[in-house]
Amino acid sequence: MITVAGVVEAVGAALLKVVVPGRRAAEVRDVTLAELDEAPIGQSGDLVLGAGVTTPVQALAVIERCAETAAAGLVLKPPLASHPGVASSAADHDLALVELQSHGSWAQLVWLLRGVIDRAAAPGSPEAGAPGVYDELFALADATAAIVDAPVTIEDAQYRVLAYSSRQDRTDPARVSTIVGRRVPGDVVAHFRSRGVFRKLAKGSELVFVPQGPDGTLPRLVIPIRAGGELLGSIWAVVEGPVPDGRLRDLQGAASVLALHLLRLRVQADVARRVSADRLRAALRDPARMGREELGLPRGPWRVVALEAHGGTAEMVHNLALWESITRRHGWRQPLIADVGDALFAVVVDEGESPGSWLWMERLIHEIAVHEPGLRAASGSVARDLADLPRSRAEAAELLALHGSARQRGSVLRFEDVWAEVVVHRVVTALPQVDLLVGGPLPDLVAHDRTHGTDYVATLAAWLAQQGDPNKAARQLHVHPNTLRHRMRRLAEVVQVDLESPRARLALQIQLAALRPGS
């Protein structure tokens, strides 16, 4: 399922913008063109394209007919989409109104929308893009190489190689390492950055010629690939020298065709990510009606890992795409990450050390936490079948909330390592504090400390935590052991407490936990 808002987000702001949200949960099932007659338009769930709508009167009539068939939304070009009367009518009919940017073509939009809707409705595990699109990119790389009479590579906006021409007769070490690694190496990036190539690509649409470098790097002709002012990628050709104007014009035409393909790739990747996250979110809540293959999960057992940064999970939820990018960069090809409520979760396999495993995730979190001290991750216990995933998720979320009070410090917590803190937390949160701090010596000690400025509560807590060992308890409090022994004797004079009783010690520890939930 994909909504109008999901379609707009997948296609991107370079082409589409929501003017009136309409029914937020309205599912888009198909795309149809608005006919300027009196017949009903499309069917329920259709996204209607007003390709022939040119006046506000026509737009209002189309909106009426869209409402009759429960269409999901209507797409118009400016200035109609932002016309006050048109927008008001769409809002009155609870119909989503979307604006196609003036530079966008209806044919281009239909092609992209078909890919978005078909991808969202496709069964099985979504992939990051259809193989056919990549095949077309390689064919276009060959066609571009023929135009410029030079080997070329096609790269995305992050300078990752998407395709390259079969002809690679003119090359240098930078080209070889780029193609083999499918990403421009750091030293090569530094080389071109020093010549202002990336700055020129980011700011304009002009072709960039880079002369031969002193380190043996051959000349390059770089052609930006843009759509609606947004840089989608670039073509890099290894040329012998300046290229004639006629071929430059042909190259710019090829870049326009490639822009459409790169938009389609991005759309497919966005839809695949959305569908995968929706399925994973459902599995973390209630996987009863789903199979492992349908969810795209590897063979278990699994762990659910809660992620947090800078003291709040909300920021990480907004960075779901960032986390997917980070994990992919470290080898996890299909990251299983989704937000549930206000928290972000990853599902990893419990065994092995390969990308997507718990040990791999643990190392990754430690590595990132060196530069991001606010990063936290907590793993629930092992989920041996799908029905255990919600339990592991709940444990991970609970453990993450307890991170500050858990005895084990650091950026990563595992449920099995701090289960005792979880048990105590569940006990002390099951009842109001006033019900737990009833009877016994602790309320009197608290009152004595407040009145006389003593530290008997902290002394008792350290003594219990260290199982009555005066030396360890003294080190915990940063005092001399004799000072601790003296406090314990004075404490016994203030209140009557039986520290020989295991049940009394347990009750005191529970009361202390209720008294100091953040300690």
Side-chain angles (χ1 to χ4, degrees):
M1 169 181 171
I2 188 166
T3 63
V4 174
V7 168
V8 172
E9 184 178 343
V11 172
L15 282 180
L16 297 180
K17 179 180 72 173
V18 174
V19 178
V20 177
R23 292 179 293 130
R24 296 187 178 275
E27 178 182 2
V28 178
R29 301 189 184 95
D30 203 351
V31 58
T32 189
L33 292 174
E35 300 291 342
L36 298 180
D37 53 30
E38 299 301 323
I41 298 177
Q43 302 176 14
S44 175
D46 281 358
L47 183 59
V48 179
L49 307 184
V53 180
T54 58
T55 68
V57 173
Q58 292 175 339
L60 293 173
V62 169
I63 289 173
E64 292 280 352
R65 290 156 58 207
C66 286
E68 291 174 2
T69 56
L74 173 63
V75 183
L76 296 173
K77 275 202 167 187
L80 281 180
S82 56
H83 186 281
V86 173
S88 176
S89 178
D92 291 342
H93 288 86
D94 207 9
L95 177 73
L97 182 61
V98 179
E99 182 179 76
L100 171 63
Q101 302 292 356
S102 56
H103 60 79
S105 73
W106 291 106
Q108 180 187 49
L109 181 62
V110 170
W111 191 60
L112 287 171
L113 290 177
R114 288 290 184 193
V116 171
I117 297 168
D118 292 346
R119 196 69 193 158
S125 177
E127 299 295 335
V133 182
Y134 287 101
D135 293 340
E136 293 168 6
L137 284 177
F138 276 91
L140 285 168
D142 284 336
T144 306
I147 293 173
V148 74
D149 190 26
V152 305
T153 58
I154 300 172
E155 301 171 10
D156 64 11
Q158 287 73 46
Y159 305 104
R160 295 172 296 196
V161 177
L162 299 175
Y164 50 88
S165 62
S166 55
R167 173 184 172 180
Q168 294 294 331
D169 54 306
R170 188 183 306 127
T171 187
D172 54 20
R175 170 57 56 96
V176 172
S177 57
T178 297
I179 293 177
V180 171
R182 299 305 293 263
R183 176 185 287 276
V184 183
D187 57 338
V188 179
V189 170
H191 168 79
F192 289 113
R193 180 174 288 117
S194 67
R195 286 156 176 78
V197 175
F198 302 122
R199 184 179 65 255
K200 294 174 183 177
L201 284 177
K203 290 185 176 180
S205 301
E206 297 298 322
L207 284 67
V208 181
F209 178 75
V210 186
Q212 180 172 347
D215 53 357
T217 302
L218 296 176
R220 295 289 198 280
L221 179 64
V222 189
I223 304 97
I225 303 174
R226 290 183 173 276
E230 179 183 359
L231 182 66
L232 301 176
S234 52
I235 305 169
W236 293 68
V238 179
V239 296
E240 293 181 341
V243 178
D245 291 342
R247 291 187 178 182
L248 292 180
R249 286 192 294 271
D250 292 340
L251 282 173
Q252 289 175 322
S256 298
V257 176
L258 280 167
L260 192 58
H261 283 74
L262 295 189
L263 273 174
R264 184 180 170 192
L265 271 178
R266 186 177 68 180
V267 162
Q268 289 183 342
D270 287 346
V271 172
R273 177 168 55 84
R274 183 184 302 276
V275 172
S276 177
D278 286 345
R279 291 175 180 170
L280 184 60
R281 195 177 297 114
L284 292 175
R285 286 174 171 152
D286 181 14
R289 295 184 298 276
M290 299 182 182
R292 181 179 65 81
E293 292 79 8
E294 181 184 359
L295 294 170
L297 290 176
R299 293 188 179 276
W302 311 275
R303 286 180 181 272
V304 181
V305 182
L307 304 170
E308 180 184 62
H310 306 298
T313 57
E315 183 171 343
M316 294 314 297
V317 170
H318 296 150
N319 284 311
L320 173 59
L322 174 62
W323 269 102
E324 289 181 336
S325 176
I326 291 172
T327 51
R328 281 196 177 99
R329 191 184 312 145
H330 287 79
W332 198 3
R333 291 186 62 251
Q334 293 293 328
L336 298 169
I337 305 175
D339 57 292
V340 179
D342 292 331
L344 192 65
F345 297 95
V347 177
V348 299
V349 295
D350 182 54
E351 300 170 349
E353 299 183 29
S354 59
S357 67
W358 163 242
L359 288 177
W360 171 86
M361 176 65 79
E362 190 176 18
R363 288 196 300 268
L364 176 62
I365 297 297
H366 281 305
E367 179 181 331
I368 300 174
V370 172
H371 308 287
E372 296 289 342
L375 187 69
R376 298 286 184 269
S379 162
S381 59
V382 176
R384 302 199 177 277
D385 55 49
L386 292 179
D388 292 334
L389 287 175
R391 172 189 52 76
S392 185
R393 173 186 66 83
E395 291 171 348
E398 181 181 13
L399 188 56
L400 195 62
L402 286 173
H403 201 290
S405 60
R407 292 174 184 170
Q408 177 180 333
R409 303 295 175 179
S411 55
V412 180
L413 292 181
R414 192 178 65 144
F415 190 84
E416 292 90 330
D417 297 330
V418 288
W419 63 269
E421 281 79 1
V422 175
V423 170
V424 173
H425 175 261
R426 290 177 179 177
V427 170
V428 300
T429 55
L431 293 171
Q433 185 188 79
V434 66
D435 291 342
L436 287 174
L437 295 179
V438 58
L442 194 59
D444 292 337
L445 281 181
V446 171
H448 190 278
D449 281 353
R450 288 174 179 170
T451 303
H452 301 283
T454 51
D455 292 314
Y456 291 154
V457 173
T459 301
L460 178 60
W463 190 92
L464 290 168
Q466 301 303 331
Q467 302 179 19
D469 187 318
N471 294 317
K472 291 181 179 179
R475 282 197 297 271
Q476 179 177 326
L477 295 173
H478 306 290
V479 299
H480 192 277
N482 289 337
T483 302
L484 184 126
R485 293 186 182 95
H486 173 72
R487 287 184 185 177
M488 289 300 295
R489 286 193 297 268
R490 294 286 300 153
L491 183 155
E493 295 173 2
V494 174
V495 295
Q496 183 177 357
V497 55
D498 182 10
L499 295 179
E500 297 296 324
S501 168
R503 190 171 296 274
R505 294 196 300 270
L506 174 61
L508 282 169
Q509 287 180 305
I510 292 174
Q511 286 183 322
L512 285 164
L515 183 65
R516 298 180 174 181
S519 62

